[in-house]
Amino acid sequence: MMSAPSGEDDFLYELEVEVEAEVTLVESSHPEEVAELPVTEWLFDPTDAEREEIGLRGLLDAVEVLEDGSRPGDHVA
């Protein structure tokens, strides 16, 4: 199995750190609590925050797959 060049490893690590920070930020916004408030008190749409968290978690999963060296089409039997 070929390993990624060091520069790619560094990039993936930094990307993972950034995405984890964004996930933490979205989680700390507590969209489920905001949804209970009247719409006029919302500073953001809680549905958008939930959508963003789902997207970030998908990106984080993809980065972890790349870090593990898995390639598209690799299957575990």
Side-chain angles (χ1 to χ4, degrees):
M1 178 172 91
M2 289 179 50
S3 63
S6 179
E8 187 175 329
D9 288 342
D10 291 344
F11 172 77
L12 290 174
Y13 175 76
E14 290 174 18
L15 180 59
E16 182 177 21
V17 169
E18 287 291 322
V19 173
E20 286 175 345
E22 289 292 324
V23 168
T24 301
L25 184 63
V26 171
E27 287 175 341
S28 70
S29 68
H30 302 286
E32 66 283 352
E33 293 174 11
V34 173
E36 295 174 3
L37 298 172
V39 173
T40 56
E41 294 183 28
W42 289 1
L43 298 177
F44 61 89
D45 185 335
T47 303
D48 289 342
E50 289 174 11
R51 228 180 267 124
E52 182 177 2
E53 183 179 354
I54 291 167
L56 288 168
R57 290 190 183 280
L59 180 57
L60 190 56
D61 288 344
V63 169
E64 290 171 354
V65 165
L66 288 173
E67 284 181 327
D68 291 343
S70 300
R71 298 287 181 246
D74 288 351
H75 298 285
V76 177

